[in-house]
Amino acid sequence: MRTPSLFSPKPLCLAAMLCAAAGAQAGIMVYTSETAFLAAVPAPGTGTFGDPIIAPYGDAVHRTAGAYHYQAYSAISIRGAGGPTDVWLSNNLRYNPMVFSNFRDGASAFGGNFFASDVAGRFVDGAVVLTAADGGTLTYDFYGATSSSFLGFVSTAPLASVTLGTDGGAYRPTASHVVPAVPEPAAYGMMLAGITLLGVAARRRRG
């Protein structure tokens, strides 16, 4: 299921409800505000890439973000991008997506700064596409993303993966920090309430 970009703080609630509507079977909500995302998760772990990673890693790296563990994978190889004081995670082949998975600590929320970079590891203006999977899937087209733009997914089930790709493969998918977490019970309640309301509306349309 695909959800259009709503990149601004104002449509945050609308974005969340649209994703509940579009991906009701998956139970995934989208946050375009890091502040709102962090308010929904009580103990997030922040993963940055400031350690030396200028040389290619190989096709997979295992990382820790607070109490959470995850893997970043991209065919051919993962590599560093950005500058010496702001290191990003990217890959060596623009056509390949980067997949965050193997969340060993039951993370059902995942967010971060996601954008595009060029062959030299510099930021470029381009659209990125993110897909969250938790048994169902939800895909979000993220237009106008900058190196400080935030996008987060909160699911009613543990996440299997979050895939970061680019629109048309003209540049490389890139992340500057990621935030895995487990949502607050209140966030689950709001999501389930929205999904229930959508089910009622669907039954009424059929009736």
Side-chain angles (χ1 to χ4, degrees):
M1 188 58 62
R2 209 172 191 94
T3 297
S5 173
L6 294 168
F7 178 57
S8 87
K10 288 181 69 176
L12 169 65
C13 294
L14 177 60
M17 291 308 295
L18 281 174
C19 290
Q25 76 282 3
I28 302 171
M29 293 176 68
V30 170
Y31 289 81
T32 56
S33 160
E34 184 171 10
T35 299
F37 176 85
L38 293 176
V41 295
T46 299
T48 58
F49 311 110
D51 50 325
I53 58 171
I54 301 305
Y57 269 141
D59 62 4
V61 293
H62 296 272
R63 307 286 294 183
T64 300
Y68 302 95
H69 303 271
Y70 67 94
Q71 173 186 281
Y73 169 85
S74 186
I76 307 302
S77 69
I78 296 285
R79 67 166 191 166
T85 60
D86 186 16
V87 180
W88 308 332
L89 197 67
S90 188
N91 68 12
N92 269 336
L93 193 62
R94 65 184 185 272
Y95 299 106
N96 291 331
M98 192 155 48
V99 181
F100 300 93
S101 63
N102 291 351
F103 302 110
R104 298 203 310 259
D105 305 281
S108 48
F110 189 82
N113 296 125
F114 304 112
F115 49 97
S117 64
D118 63 14
V119 66
R122 299 170 299 209
F123 168 78
V124 292
D125 183 15
V128 293
V129 180
L130 289 105
T131 299
D134 68 349
T137 61
L138 189 145
T139 296
Y140 190 95
D141 296 308
F142 200 19
Y143 300 103
T146 71
S147 59
S148 59
S149 298
F150 181 87
L151 188 74
F153 296 102
V154 176
S155 173
T156 54
L159 288 168
S161 65
V162 172
T163 300
L164 171 64
T166 57
D167 187 5
Y171 22 73
R172 289 160 171 76
T174 307
S176 65
H177 86 278
V178 296
V179 186
V182 175
E184 288 275 17
Y188 284 131
M190 183 173 69
M191 294 168 68
L192 291 171
I195 292 167
T196 300
L197 287 172
L198 291 162
V200 170
R203 284 196 297 272
R204 284 179 177 171
R205 284 196 300 270
R206 289 196 299 267

